[in-house]
């Protein structure tokens, strides 16, 4: 099963809903025609007492012999509580050339991540990750599995830049 999202598409959630893919997603925009994931109304985004102003985020669970791609996308205005991560990539996902911004965790605990990734073949590269409220990354690496990489990203103006269990490659720029 595959979900294909074409360049220029705007995926606009009409409330606190999310996207879960158990299979393959190919969300591949272009530099001139990015795909946007967002919510229709951001009123209440900064109120930690409820879920208003955001969508619940995306979870990508790619099967072992497949690869999902999130490329040239804008991922804006997700919000989650203490339990779930707003943006979660399991195995075999390439996340590149995106803008990931204005996402938050309800309540502020510095180590709770905005983005989590599994322990096999998750590549997060060449993204701009900015203006998020919460830790940026959490990666689940096992001792025998270090095939995920976070590299060549620009990480700027986030509320917290804690990283848990992550293996970074040269080229990340954090401000």
């Amino acid at each position: 099963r595959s979900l294909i999202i074409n360049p220029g598409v705007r995926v606009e959630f009409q409330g606190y809903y999310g996207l879960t893919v158990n299979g393959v997603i190919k969300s591949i925009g272009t530099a001139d025609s990015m795909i946007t994931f967002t919510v229709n109304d951001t009123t209440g985004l900064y109120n930690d007492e409820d879920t208003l102003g955001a969508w619940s985020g995306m979870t990508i669970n790619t099967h072992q012999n497949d690869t999902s791609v999130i490329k040239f996308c804008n991922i804006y205005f997700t919000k989650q509580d203490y339990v779930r991560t707003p943006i979660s990539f399991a195995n075999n996902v390439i996340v590149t050339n995106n803008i990931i911004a204005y996402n938050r965790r309800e309540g502020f605990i510095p180590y709770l991540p905005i983005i989590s990734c599994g322990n096999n073949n998750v590549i997060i590269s060449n993204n701009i990750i900015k203006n998020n409220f919460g830790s940026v990354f959490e990666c689940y690496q096992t001792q025998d599995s270090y095939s995920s990489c976070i590299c060549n990203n620009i990480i700027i103006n986030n509320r917290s830049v804690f990283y848990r269990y992550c293996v970074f490659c040269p080229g990340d720029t954090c401000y």
Side-chain angles (χ1 to χ4, degrees), residues 55-147:
W55 59 293
S56 69
M58 64 171 58
T59 300
I60 311 299
N61 300 307
T62 307
H63 300 299
Q64 187 173 7
N65 295 321
D66 293 317
T67 300
S68 289
V69 179
I70 308 293
K71 183 175 182 179
F72 286 113
C73 295
N74 299 307
I75 303 172
Y76 298 149
F77 303 114
T78 67
K79 185 190 326 187
Q80 272 297 340
D81 57 17
Y82 300 107
V83 179
R84 285 195 57 219
T85 302
I87 303 167
S88 178
F89 304 113
N91 303 321
N92 304 322
V93 183
I94 298 170
V95 181
T96 187
N97 299 103
N98 301 293
I99 299 174
I100 301 171
Y102 312 108
N103 301 288
R104 65 186 283 117
R105 295 300 296 248
E106 291 180 15
F108 180 63
I109 297 178
Y111 58 82
L112 292 176
I114 297 296
I115 302 167
S116 70
C117 57
N119 62 356
N120 286 308
N121 301 319
V122 176
I123 308 298
I124 300 175
S125 66
N126 302 310
N127 300 289
I128 298 172
I129 301 166
K130 65 179 184 175
N131 301 322
N132 296 291
F133 189 85
S135 174
V136 179
F137 295 112
E138 180 172 64
C139 304
Y140 300 97
Q141 302 281 359
T142 63
Q143 186 174 1
D144 299 327
S145 177
Y146 294 100
S147 58

